Amino acid sequence: MELTELESSLREQAIRTSLMAGKPKLYYFNGRGRMESVRWLLAAAGIEFVEEFLETREQYEKLLQDGALLFQQVPMVEIDGMKMVQTRAILGYIAAKHNLYGKNLKERALIDMYVEGTRDLMDLIRVHHKFSSEEQEKNLALINERATARYFPVYEKVLKDHGTEFLVGNQLTWADVQLIEAILMVEEKVSTILSKFPLLQDFKTRMCNIPTIKKFLQPGSQRKPPPDESYVVTANRVFNRK
Amino acid sequence: MESVRWLLAAAGVEFEEELLETREQYEKLLQDGALMFQQVPMVEIDGMKLVQTRAILNYIAATHNLCGRDLKERALIDMYVEGTTDLMQLILMFPFLSAEDKEKQHALIVQKATNRYFPAYEKVLRDHGQDYLVGNQFSWADIHLFEAILMVEEKKCDVLSEFPQLQMFKARISNMPRIKKFLEPGSQRKPIPDDKYVETVRRVLQMYYNVKASV
């Protein structure tokens, strides 16, 4: 029996939908913000995901009314039958599920320390666009100082001390993915930030060559650009901020 | 550090403390390379010098069976703990604020507790009708919520008046032997921060001189 064009296309759609049902679904703005680390980790793990972008106040209110946001906040990720919120919880779950959280509790503790450090550094950059130009100058100096005097020396030393390719346990973990994300974010603000960190330069090259990460860094991927005016306007509108 | 003290106490783990009182003590820790990101809290445990509160708490919870039985329970525990952390964060900075900002912050703490966080945990308990937040057994999420409740009650003593499940939860947790012991005078539980505490922190860390209320 021949399928008509319509039947064929409906069947294709059904297959696509059922394949998509297994994919994590990310609810957030069409921009980096707090969700970008989740995109990075899923991408690095080779996990396909879909996104629903918040553009209107009504979308957000519907999520609230549906009880989909445990603390009324995004990011929210539908994954494995759960509506997960809180970025760290989401990242921890993905890392554990995909073997990116170390082999034992001590490795896990190291990973936790390292990701908390990179998180603190990335938080300085995440809010940068919200400041006035005068405050942005100060913040830039702070980012530079923290990166070069507090955070990057630690990771440079870790790589130096055990001479392996990855931060923890000689295999790719969440700590490596978050560090490469942080390095690229800081470089967007201070392009020479790695000039005194030769091992981090090597690390950056290696990480960017990992096939899943290489793919994520190419145009057309789900990686988001740095925040611009329209991102700020959308977020303010959705959250009823002045 | 108080969440660490609570978790160790709840797990029945004895611990010692070196209390920072002078700038020199802090500088010595820095020079010795004991503080990975130049910050405290730091906990020496099992041969490691752990920093970053979440990393410390995660390790203690995992090594004492307070992290749930599987990945999904762990995910729930992590979500709940992150929520209580956000609430406690509002209170953490409170002692460092100006009198005017304290008023604003006080209102914010009560508003977030009663409109955002407590309703979420009330619903969790009501929906499954069990004694503990996750998996019908005591976990890190319970002790963290208990600590948060006590902290908010110090700001508004009747804050649980519309949350009957949380009132029963609080009573149950208070009666657990290790918790009861930690709540008694003479334990390592620390009192509510006062001006002396603020002065010491500022002097030792040379930070937190200009803290503003949360938006």
Side-chain angles (χ1 to χ4, degrees):
Chain A
M1 186 186 95
E2 274 182 353
L3 289 174
T4 63
E5 260 186 40
L6 175 62
E7 283 168 318
S8 197
S9 123
L10 283 174
R11 193 178 142 182
E12 249 179 42
Q13 247 188 57
I15 292 170
R16 250 202 313 268
T17 309
S18 75
L19 282 176
M20 273 171 63
K23 294 185 189 176
K25 186 171 181 185
L26 279 51
Y27 292 77
Y28 200 68
F29 305 103
N30 188 2
R32 286 185 183 174
R34 293 175 189 272
M35 188 63 101
E36 192 70 352
S37 297
V38 178
R39 297 181 186 108
W40 265 97
L41 193 56
L42 286 169
I47 307 301
E48 289 184 22
F49 58 93
V50 296
E51 304 193 72
E52 186 159 310
F53 297 126
L54 292 188
E55 265 136 22
T56 67
R57 176 79 190 165
E58 289 67 38
Q59 270 174 294
Y60 175 58
E61 284 180 352
K62 180 162 198 311
L63 285 172
L64 288 176
Q65 277 150 31
D66 291 346
L69 307 179
L70 182 65
F71 302 119
Q72 304 149 5
Q73 298 163 316
V74 286
M76 190 271 276
V77 175
E78 278 175 355
I79 183 168
D80 297 341
M82 298 182 287
K83 288 181 168 51
M84 286 199 73
V85 297
Q86 293 287 350
T87 316
R88 273 180 195 83
I90 296 164
L91 292 168
Y93 180 75
I94 294 166
K97 188 180 173 200
H98 297 288
N99 206 22
L100 293 167
Y101 218 156
K103 296 182 218 59
N104 54 50
L105 288 183
K106 286 201 171 182
E107 287 192 355
R108 191 172 198 140
L110 288 173
I111 291 166
D112 278 344
M113 282 197 282
Y114 299 156
V115 302
E116 287 297 301
T118 41
R119 172 65 45 203
D120 284 349
L121 178 57
M122 294 198 292
D123 276 351
L124 293 177
I125 301 171
R126 184 174 51 77
V127 299
H128 185 76
H129 66 280
K130 300 185 187 188
F131 295 144
S132 70
S133 6
E134 192 194 317
E135 288 169 333
Q136 282 194 3
E137 247 194 80
K138 283 192 208 163
N139 197 43
L140 212 54
L142 183 64
I143 290 165
N144 199 351
E145 198 262 338
R146 288 279 187 259
T148 53
R150 176 170 289 186
Y151 296 108
F152 289 170
V154 170
Y155 305 115
E156 181 83 4
K157 183 177 196 296
V158 168
L159 291 170
K160 181 166 181 210
D161 283 354
H162 51 58
T164 56
E165 295 192 3
F166 304 104
L167 287 171
V168 178
N170 213 6
Q171 66 184 32
L172 181 73
T173 68
W174 173 18
D176 301 299
V177 180
Q178 206 161 279
L179 177 56
I180 183 62
E181 184 194 356
I183 287 171
L184 295 180
M185 275 178 89
V186 180
E187 278 185 336
E188 280 169 352
K189 295 270 173 276
V190 183
S191 60
T192 55
I193 201 80
L194 286 191
S195 57
K196 306 210 165 130
F197 303 103
L199 294 180
L200 286 180
Q201 291 173 33
D202 292 342
F203 173 84
K204 178 191 164 190
T205 307
R206 279 196 308 273
M207 290 295 291
C208 292
N209 275 319
I210 292 176
T212 49
I213 292 178
K214 197 172 190 166
K215 196 168 164 210
F216 189 61
L217 289 170
Q218 278 159 5
S221 82
Q222 283 158 303
R223 186 183 184 211
K224 301 294 174 279
D228 60 9
E229 188 61 38
S230 119
Y231 175 78
V232 177
V233 167
T234 305
N236 287 344
R237 180 176 63 237
V238 168
F239 288 140
N240 266 354
R241 286 199 290 246
K242 301 289 169 257
Chain B
M1 186 69 97
E2 193 71 348
S3 298
V4 178
R5 297 182 187 108
W6 270 104
L7 190 56
L8 287 169
V13 179
E14 288 185 21
F15 59 93
E16 296 169 350
E17 301 195 74
E18 186 159 309
L19 301 172
L20 292 185
E21 265 138 21
T22 67
R23 176 74 189 168
E24 288 68 37
Q25 271 175 294
Y26 175 60
E27 284 180 351
K28 181 161 198 310
L29 285 171
L30 288 176
Q31 277 150 30
D32 291 348
L35 307 179
M36 180 179 284
F37 301 118
Q38 304 146 11
Q39 297 163 316
V40 285
M42 189 272 277
V43 176
E44 277 174 357
I45 181 169
D46 296 344
M48 297 180 288
K49 289 180 166 51
L50 287 187
V51 297
Q52 293 288 350
T53 315
R54 269 179 198 83
I56 297 165
L57 291 169
N58 247 328
Y59 182 76
I60 296 165
T63 48
H64 293 89
N65 209 23
L66 292 167
C67 245
R69 289 181 208 79
D70 58 30
L71 280 192
K72 286 204 170 179
E73 287 193 355
R74 188 178 198 129
L76 289 174
I77 290 168
D78 280 351
M79 281 199 280
Y80 299 158
V81 164
E82 287 298 304
T84 38
T85 299
D86 283 350
L87 176 56
M88 291 181 357
Q89 198 63 34
L90 300 175
I91 304 175
L92 217 77
M93 57 159 76
F94 189 86
F96 296 89
L97 300 172
S98 67
E100 187 193 325
D101 275 2
K102 273 181 176 161
E103 254 194 72
K104 282 189 211 168
Q105 193 77 353
H106 188 278
L108 184 69
I109 289 162
V110 172
Q111 188 251 321
K112 288 287 190 233
T114 50
N115 292 345
R116 174 168 290 184
Y117 296 106
F118 290 170
Y121 300 111
E122 180 82 3
K123 183 178 194 298
V124 167
L125 291 170
R126 193 176 56 237
D127 283 355
H128 61 44
Q130 292 164 1
D131 282 358
Y132 306 108
L133 285 170
V134 179
N136 211 9
Q137 73 181 16
F138 182 62
S139 78
W140 173 21
D142 300 298
I143 191 70
H144 213 244
L145 174 58
F146 182 72
E147 184 193 355
I149 287 171
L150 295 185
M151 280 173 82
V152 182
E153 279 185 333
E154 282 166 352
K155 296 277 171 270
K156 184 172 195 283
C157 59
D158 64 346
V159 74
L160 286 192
S161 57
E162 322 246 298
F163 303 103
Q165 295 288 332
L166 289 179
Q167 289 174 36
M168 294 189 288
F169 172 83
K170 180 192 163 193
R172 278 195 302 275
I173 306 293
S174 310
N175 275 319
M176 295 176 73
R178 292 171 182 159
I179 309 299
K180 205 168 191 166
K181 192 167 167 213
F182 193 63
L183 287 167
E184 279 163 10
S187 82
Q188 283 158 303
R189 187 184 181 209
K190 300 295 174 279
I192 223 186
D194 56 10
D195 288 339
K196 176 164 188 284
Y197 173 78
V198 171
E199 187 270 326
T200 304
V201 172
R202 284 177 170 160
R203 178 165 37 84
V204 170
L205 297 181
Q206 283 168 14
M207 283 174 73
Y208 305 127
Y209 294 109
N210 202 18
V211 184
K212 297 270 179 277
S214 315
V215 168

